[in-house]
Amino acid sequence: MMNIKTVPTQPFADQKPGTSGLRKKVPVFQQPHYLENFVQSIFDSLEGFQGQTLVLGGDGRYYNRQAIQIILKMAAASGFGRVLVGRSGILSTPAASCVIRKNAAFGGIILSASHNPAGPNEDFGIKYNISNGGPAPEKVTEAIFARSTAIATYKILDVADVDLDKLGSFKLGEMNVEVIDAVNDYAQLMESLFDCDRIRELLASGHFRMCMDSMHAVTGPYAHRLFEQRLGAPLGTVQNGEPLEDFGGGHPDPNLVYAHDLVERLFGDNAPDFGAASDGDGDRNMILGRHFFVTPSDSLAVLAANAKLVPAYRDGLAGIARSMPTSQAADRVAAQLGIDCYETPTGWKFFGNLLDAGKATLCGEESFGTGSNHVREKDGLWAVLFWLNILSVRQQSVEQIVREHWQTYGRNYYSRHDYEGVESDRANALVTDLRAAMPTLKGKQFGGYQVDYCDDFSYTDPVDGSVSQKQGIRLGFTDGSRIVFRLSGTGTQGATLRVYLESYESNPAHHNRDPQVALRDLIAIAEQVAQIRQFTGMEQPTVIT
Ligand code: G1P
Ligand code: ZN
């Protein structure tokens, strides 16, 4: 006998999904009805899911378990036929995308705040993915938000919590729940893409040492299985491989600042040949060689240029897509290959249509995200395997491969300066002033740099024609250099200003500079046009990547 409760509720005003779903502090989600309202708003915005399959899982952070219990009972009350849930409620974001696709699910709910710290007073997040396995496009997230402002009731099954630690299936009301181990599904997909025999040879050769840092987040079990069990890397290759509810108190953002243990090893004495890290939910990656850092923008370009070495991409790429602030290094590869390069707003949701339509095969963002048409999320371990595949075929070091790449295509010096924890009013004032100054900037000379264009990036999706406006203020110079300003859409407190800087250097004699030095003039111009110090009250960025 089903016991469905209809619970009266009132809207919360702050449930607008950002770049990647709804992210708030845990105590916000713990308020009575808060999570329930948002979940019901998702369900209310969808049509035709009765009897269908939903995929559910998260990065395992604090509050994941509780949220999963609530969502299962709500899915049962709303009429889903089946939910595939990761064991213990855990699924990496790319694995969730893989499972949605493999099972032709109606959609999925992913619980994650990505790389943001976790714990009782830290961040939590929830997002909805559609049947292609990718993040819901804006028209869906807007519908969810609209619903959240008008919601009056939600439905939930009145039953005890279920055991999610054992694999298997059981009934929850009339709905089937299947507790799955997605590590296998994911590993199988990876093995279908790459030249695993060669990677195995490389990893087992004894001449090549790699180190994978899972940062106590979701990729630990996937990385152990793939690298150590399936590909023959020695035990101990994966460090911090046990997922923890608070990520070990760390900040699982794979960059030079937060992945400091790994960085120290790769830049230390007797360093391994290859180092990689992934983030909280497993969709980001950082790639390091011995004493060498590969920027994510360069990584995308190198993967694209070497794609033919990977079985899955042997026949060539349909196109490449990158987010607008990502460097134009990939554009140069696309030009050489004679394929299109698409420039999208920040956020993986904008790649979905291009991938579905077969217009792009590889996608990437400067924020340590790369992926392909194998799923509809960015995929950290996929990028690591892609690099290993290239390394195993080319038998060169990471540094040699990147330096040769620069020789062929030129080097796009690149850096992002983040100003975190800015008071929202002050960040908005900076943007308002910058917008007002836009018309006066075109043609203006700053030292050796002349402004070619200045606009607020607007994107028209080439597949469905939808338009996304105000996606970042761009200042383009006549020599191809760029400065981009935008506010983060993933924060949970105050505002984060991101300043993206890029310049191009064709001469190999000048490829050895420190990016902060190479970009010095652009950094000064950014300050001059946006008055960053004055508006933020900060002398320096809080994070430079
Ligand atoms: C950030 C990154 C963006 C990425 C998103 C989710 O968003 O900049 O590229 O897609 O996280 O991982 P932002 O905080 O800039 O809105
Ligand atoms: Zn992430």
Side-chain angles (χ1 to χ4, degrees):
M1 175 61 208
M2 290 252 282
N3 187 7
I4 296 174
K5 272 198 311 190
T6 299
V7 183
T9 185
Q10 276 175 356
F12 291 90
D14 65 345
Q15 297 197 321
K16 191 176 172 61
T19 312
S20 186
L22 182 70
R23 295 209 185 147
K24 300 284 173 197
K25 294 284 172 207
V26 167
V28 174
F29 272 104
Q30 285 171 325
Q31 295 172 83
H33 313 310
Y34 192 88
L35 175 68
E36 291 87 343
N37 273 18
F38 191 72
V39 172
Q40 191 66 54
S41 301
I42 296 176
F43 294 163
D44 289 351
S45 317
L46 305 175
E47 260 167 44
F49 61 78
Q50 299 301 318
Q52 302 281 314
T53 301
L54 181 75
V55 172
L56 176 62
D59 59 20
R61 66 178 57 229
Y62 187 87
Y63 200 55
N64 193 67
R65 276 176 178 275
Q66 293 88 325
I68 295 266
Q69 296 287 350
I70 291 170
I71 296 167
L72 279 174
K73 293 171 197 173
M74 290 185 66
S78 280
F80 275 95
R82 174 170 81 140
V83 174
L84 302 176
V85 57
R87 177 173 10 196
S88 308
I90 299 181
L91 286 177
S92 80
T93 293
S97 187
C98 161
V99 172
I100 293 171
R101 295 168 69 77
K102 188 169 175 176
N103 294 280
F106 186 88
I109 290 180
I110 301 180
L111 304 173
S112 170
S114 189
H115 50 281
N116 294 1
N121 292 306
E122 300 293 351
D123 289 2
F124 191 76
I126 172 169
K127 70 172 179 174
Y128 180 70
N129 280 26
I130 58 175
S131 62
N132 72 355
E138 278 193 330
K139 65 174 188 307
V140 177
T141 56
E142 277 159 14
I144 295 169
F145 175 55
R147 180 67 194 144
S148 77
T149 62
I151 190 164
T153 58
Y154 63 83
K155 283 191 288 187
I156 188 161
L157 200 65
D158 194 10
V159 283
D161 281 0
V162 294
D163 179 6
L164 297 174
D165 295 322
K166 274 204 311 276
L167 297 179
S169 46
F170 55 86
K171 283 258 179 203
L172 192 63
E174 280 163 17
M175 185 180 83
N176 276 320
V177 178
E178 287 174 32
V179 182
I180 59 166
D181 171 14
V183 176
N184 250 337
D185 291 329
Y186 181 78
Q188 265 169 18
L189 176 60
M190 292 301 112
E191 286 174 342
S192 74
L193 303 173
F194 297 105
D195 190 340
C196 290
D197 291 339
R198 285 191 100 131
I199 298 176
R200 200 171 289 117
E201 251 170 61
L202 178 75
L203 291 179
S205 68
H207 305 303
F208 179 90
R209 285 183 300 137
M210 102 170 239
C211 178
M212 169 76 213
D213 193 342
S214 285
M215 302 187 84
H216 284 305
V218 78
T219 58
Y222 298 83
H224 281 301
R225 179 84 58 92
L226 275 165
F227 301 121
E228 296 171 352
Q229 291 166 25
R230 306 268 260 243
L231 293 168
L235 289 181
T237 295
V238 179
Q239 65 183 43
N240 301 320
E242 189 199 344
L244 299 174
E245 272 203 331
D246 66 347
F247 302 140
H251 190 149
D253 199 0
N255 61 40
L256 293 175
V257 179
Y258 294 119
H260 39 77
D261 290 356
L262 182 75
V263 172
E264 261 167 42
R265 272 190 76 181
L266 268 291
F267 284 84
D269 294 339
N270 191 27
D273 301 276
F274 180 66
S278 54
D279 73 328
D281 61 328
D283 56 0
R284 293 188 178 198
N285 75 90
M286 174 170 69
I287 301 295
L288 300 172
R290 178 181 293 136
H291 299 184
F292 194 81
F293 165 63
V294 186
T295 70
S297 295
D298 278 347
S299 181
L300 173 65
V302 170
L303 299 190
N306 291 279
K308 289 211 160 156
L309 306 180
V310 173
Y313 312 108
R314 193 150 278 159
D315 295 338
L317 307 173
I320 306 172
R322 62 164 174 82
S323 67
M324 180 273 285
T326 303
S327 100
Q328 298 161 97
D331 304 39
R332 295 181 179 274
V333 177
Q336 180 108 345
L337 293 173
I339 57 176
D340 286 330
C341 188
Y342 297 88
E343 188 176 41
T344 59
T346 294
W348 209 261
K349 59 180 171 237
F350 295 101
F351 294 134
N353 277 349
L354 296 170
L355 292 166
D356 285 352
K359 290 182 180 292
T361 309
L362 297 189
C363 306
E365 293 195 273
E366 52 63 43
S367 53
F368 297 82
T370 17
S372 88
N373 57 357
H374 69 289
V375 288
R376 293 293 181 273
E377 289 280 3
K378 54 189 181 249
D379 190 341
L381 294 177
W382 167 90
V384 178
L385 289 163
F386 202 136
W387 266 95
L388 286 171
N389 196 142
I390 294 172
L391 291 165
S392 70
V393 177
R394 289 190 48 173
Q395 301 283 329
Q396 289 172 297
S397 71
V398 172
E399 175 166 0
Q400 279 167 336
I401 288 171
V402 176
R403 287 197 182 279
E404 274 186 23
H405 185 95
W406 292 339
Q407 261 170 28
T408 309
Y409 298 95
R411 177 171 182 184
N412 290 70
Y413 279 104
Y414 190 82
S415 183
R416 185 175 103 185
H417 289 196
D418 290 339
Y419 296 80
E420 299 167 311
V422 183
E423 237 177 78
S424 294
D425 291 349
R426 298 176 77 154
N428 290 331
L430 180 150
V431 172
T432 307
D433 268 33
L434 198 51
R435 281 211 178 102
M438 274 186 343
T440 68
L441 289 169
K442 189 175 156 67
K444 213 167 165 179
Q445 193 80 31
F446 293 91
Y449 292 89
Q450 194 187 4
V451 179
D452 183 25
Y453 63 90
C454 178
D455 62 9
D456 207 337
F457 181 59
S458 163
Y459 177 66
T460 304
D461 186 299
V463 179
D464 66 15
S466 58
V467 178
S468 304
Q469 280 167 328
K470 299 193 175 174
Q471 297 294 323
I473 296 169
R474 310 191 289 180
L475 207 55
F477 299 91
T478 49
D479 70 344
S481 300
R482 297 191 307 164
I483 305 173
V484 175
F485 301 88
R486 61 180 282 281
L487 297 183
S488 157
T490 57
T492 57
Q493 226 167 27
T496 294
L497 170 70
R498 305 204 195 283
V499 184
Y500 309 81
L501 305 137
E502 174 183 9
S503 73
Y504 179 68
E505 177 58 69
S506 58
N507 183 352
H510 298 153
H511 285 169
N512 262 325
R513 300 170 72 192
D514 172 348
Q516 302 309 317
V517 176
L519 295 166
R520 187 182 288 156
D521 291 346
L522 291 173
I523 294 169
I525 297 170
E527 170 61 31
Q528 198 182 329
V529 300
Q531 302 289 309
I532 302 168
R533 283 193 209 127
Q534 189 202 312
F535 277 107
T536 64
M538 295 180 189
E539 280 304 303
Q540 304 279 338
T542 47
V543 177
I544 294 180
T545 52

